[in-house]
């Protein structure tokens, strides 16, 4: 009787001590576990010398102090003169010790935001140096050095030069002023508009710090489905307060501009971009914004898409609209990011082709400070899409990549889906013009300096920021790839796991393997073989390939899979919509022939008979069954693998992930059964007997409703 409570009492503290809620993200700065490395780090980084009077340098000093104190479990002194083992951080402008030819020579390669980290001697004193041309570069270098320690890398002979490949590394928040988040699965918006500008939630600072740690330097605070109210004085005061917090972290603020704002908040009768009164209204508005936020980045605009107002309402082009805004922000060095995500239900052509048709005639028509933001694929952030044909077709326009970090179509917050492999797949695609997509957006293809990657943020006010503990890795990966798109998915997973959980090699190898196959698994149990857009209507949660009652044809899943008694898939070859013609011949080749088209894109580009013999030797129908069953089975394997990692992870996060993997498994079976039962009504073939047969009916799956699903 007495022994049990005693045991519990003994266990309790260890349980609580070994529990993390995920708020610290990848910036936990736990004591280095490897003892010999710890000793080496302590010796090599025993004190800090970081001069320079700026808010950014204050942050550098604080970060180094917090980071080193935590990682080295000792109090690291701040110095004004170096001693052996002093870490010197700064710019040559502010720190005379860094004004030597070796350092300034290297710094030529670092640009405005890059840095060098080197093991060297200064005045014959052995030191480690973080140097940059700007304070923000020093901050990026600081996070890099701390990352080396967090991931237990040797630091005895450092010789690092690092500069971002992309200039604008941006988050797009789809956050509304009422704090709901369109397609947000991690709670409400972290922007508390009601208490701004006077109340500065410490979370704003933590947000900026986390972004700076991965090189993100721009943020769009508001939803692309914009509300003009954010452009009014009281809201600009709130935006200013956030911009002031973010500035020392190198983050510039952008806003979404509702095209009809001159009418809604300015009292004008029109928003016609060629109307002088409209132009003047925007010029005045922009002037006002810059009075509050002198380094305001500019506007992100969704126009004439999904019901948003735009220049076409006045029979003007997208270029007319973008240029009018671009002229207004140009005197302040602002830019306009115009979205290419447009399609119309009155256009009978394949949705796949519409953005290309709309924008390619405008190539060369945009002002120099306009970027066209293109989603990674031509439909809409599907689990797997071919790259957007615009990447190979707008040689005179700076194209910005838009990825979706929030997992709207990739399992929302209940599925473990690591997105770096998706991002990399697109970035490494060859446009057929001798350039990869990455080279188009990093400016290599056009010798551009206006370059950018945006990710639709997955951040909300959940304690762990992103809902699923592993969703943090997607925020992390976006930043790391925007800085250097040549990093591999595996290396990013590896460093994120080490920083977020532990450096234990067995844990890292096992969890990285889970991450690296997770997106593939998700595609397999939801949209195998190139299927797409067969998710639930509105909330986009779960499968609903049967939906065919939506007002707009292209909102119906049946529009995309085209299942019939003959087969399934969207013919986008010359016998069908011919969307393939929008790709350069060298890119098109890989997909246009049914015989050689990779399985992954088969039903994306071809309508394929149910009995078509696949590479595997199976018929298409049997292959579809194989894919759905294999995908679902792999989610069970993920659960088993994770369960074996319990000893390496704190209780709280272990159980969170375990429970979510349980949900993912259930959802996988749901997707598998619902889709196969539905497609079976066309194929009229049995699910092979070796598979466990669905125990519920298609009608049951069709009857499911989710009126309060998040993110709508
Ligand atoms: C779709 C989302 C919708 C967004 C739209 C967009 O479902 O909520 O407004 O993208 O990117 O995927 O504008």
């Amino acid at each position: 009787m007495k022994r049990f409570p005693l045991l519990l009492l003994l266990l309790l503290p260890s349980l609580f001590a070994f529990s993390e809620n995920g708020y610290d993200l990848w910036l936990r700065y736990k004591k280095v576990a490897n003892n010999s490395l710890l000793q080496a780090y302590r010796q090599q980084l025993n004190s800090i010398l970081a001069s320079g009077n700026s808010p950014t340098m204050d942050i550098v000093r604080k970060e180094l102090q917090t980071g080193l104190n935590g990682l080295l479990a000792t109090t690291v002194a701040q110095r004004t003169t170096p001693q052996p083992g002093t870490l010197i951080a700064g710019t040559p402008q502010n720190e005379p010790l860094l004004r030597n030819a070796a350092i300034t020579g290297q710094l030529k390669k670092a640009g405005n935001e890059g840095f060098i980290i080197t093991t060297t001697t200064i005045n014959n004193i052995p030191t480690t140096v973080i140097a940059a041309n700007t304070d923000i570069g020093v901050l990026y270098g600081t996070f890099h050095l701390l990352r080396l320690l967090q991931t237990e890398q040797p630091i005895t002979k450092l010789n690092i030069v690092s500069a971002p490949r992309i200039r604008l590394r941006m988050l797009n928040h789809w956050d509304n002023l009422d704090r709901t988040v369109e397609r947000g699965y991690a709670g409400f918006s972290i922007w508390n508009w009601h208490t701004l500008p006077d109340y500065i939630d410490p979370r704003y600072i933590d947000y900026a710090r986390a972004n700076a740690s991965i090189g993100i330097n721009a943020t769009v605070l508001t939803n692309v489905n914009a509300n003009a109210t954010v452009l009014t004085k009281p809201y600009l005061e709130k935006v200013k307060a956030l911009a002031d917090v973010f500035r020392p972290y190198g983050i510039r603020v952008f806003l979404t501009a509702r095209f009809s704002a001159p009418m809604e908040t300015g009292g004008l009768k029109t928003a016609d971009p060629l109307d002088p009164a409209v132009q003047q209204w925007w010029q005045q508005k922009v002037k006002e914004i810059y009075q509050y936020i002198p380094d305001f980045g500019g506007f992100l605009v969704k126009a004439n898409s999904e019901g948003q107002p735009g220049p076409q309402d006045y029979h003007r082009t997208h270029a007319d609209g973008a240029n009018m805004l671009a002229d207004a922000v140009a005197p302040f060095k602002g830019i306009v990011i115009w979205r290419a995500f447009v399609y119309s239900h009155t256009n009978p052509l394949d949705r796949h082709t519409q953005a290309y048709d709309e924008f390619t005639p405008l190539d060369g028509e945009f002002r120099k400070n306009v970027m066209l933001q293109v989603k990674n694929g031509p439909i809409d952030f599907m689990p797997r899409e071919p790259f957007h044909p615009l990447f190979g077709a707008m040689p005179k326009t700076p194209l910005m990549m838009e990825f979706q970090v929030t997992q709207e179509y990739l399992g929302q917050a209940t599925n473990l889906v690591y997105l770096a492999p998706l991002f990399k797949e697109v970035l490494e695609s060859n446009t057929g013009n001798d350039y990869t997509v990455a080279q188009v957006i990093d400016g290599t293809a056009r010798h551009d300096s206006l370059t950018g990657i945006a990710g639709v943020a997955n951040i909300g006010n959940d304690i762990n920021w992103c809902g699923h503990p592993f969703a943090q890795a997607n925020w992390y990966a976006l930043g790391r790839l925007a800085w250097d798109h040549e990093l591999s998915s595996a290396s990013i997973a590896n460093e994120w796991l080490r920083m977020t959980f532990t450096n234990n090699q067995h844990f890292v190898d096992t969890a990285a393997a889970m991450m690296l196959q997770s997106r593939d698994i998700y595609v397999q149990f939801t949209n195998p073989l190139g299927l797409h857009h067969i998710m639930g209507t509105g909330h986009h949660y779960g499968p609903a390939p049967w939906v065919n009652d939506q007002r707009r044809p292209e909102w119906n899943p049946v529009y995309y899979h085209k299942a019939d008694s003959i087969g399934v898939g969207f013919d986008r070859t010359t016998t069908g919509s011919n969307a393939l013609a929008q790709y350069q011949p060298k890119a098109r080749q890989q997909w246009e022939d049914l015989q050689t088209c990779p399985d992954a894109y088969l039903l994306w580009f071809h309508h394929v008979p149910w009995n078509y013999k696949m590479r595997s030797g199976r018929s298409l129908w049997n292959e579809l069954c194989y894919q759905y069953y294999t995908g679902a089975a792999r989610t069970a394997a993920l659960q088993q693998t994770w369960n074996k990692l319990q000893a390496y992870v704190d209780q709280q996060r272990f159980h969170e992930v375990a429970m979510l993997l349980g949900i993912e498994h259930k959802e996988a079976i749901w997707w598998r059964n619902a889709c196969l039962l539905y497609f079976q009504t066309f194929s009229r073939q049995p699910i092979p007997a070796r598979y466990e047969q669905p125990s519920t009916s298609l009608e049951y799956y069709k009857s499911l409703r989710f009126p309060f699903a998040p993110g709508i």
Side-chain angles (χ1 to χ4, degrees), residues 151-190:
T151 55
E152 300 194 343
Q153 305 299 305
I155 57 159
T156 43
K157 288 188 197 121
L158 297 176
N159 185 15
I160 298 169
V161 182
S162 182
R165 289 175 189 271
I166 304 260
R167 197 172 122 195
L168 266 180
R169 304 176 300 278
M170 174 183 260
L171 287 178
N172 289 181
H173 288 266
W174 285 358
D175 293 19
N176 298 311
L177 300 181
D178 65 3
R179 294 192 81 175
T180 56
V181 180
E182 177 147 350
R183 314 310 177 182
Y185 308 101
F188 287 90
S189 171
I190 57 173

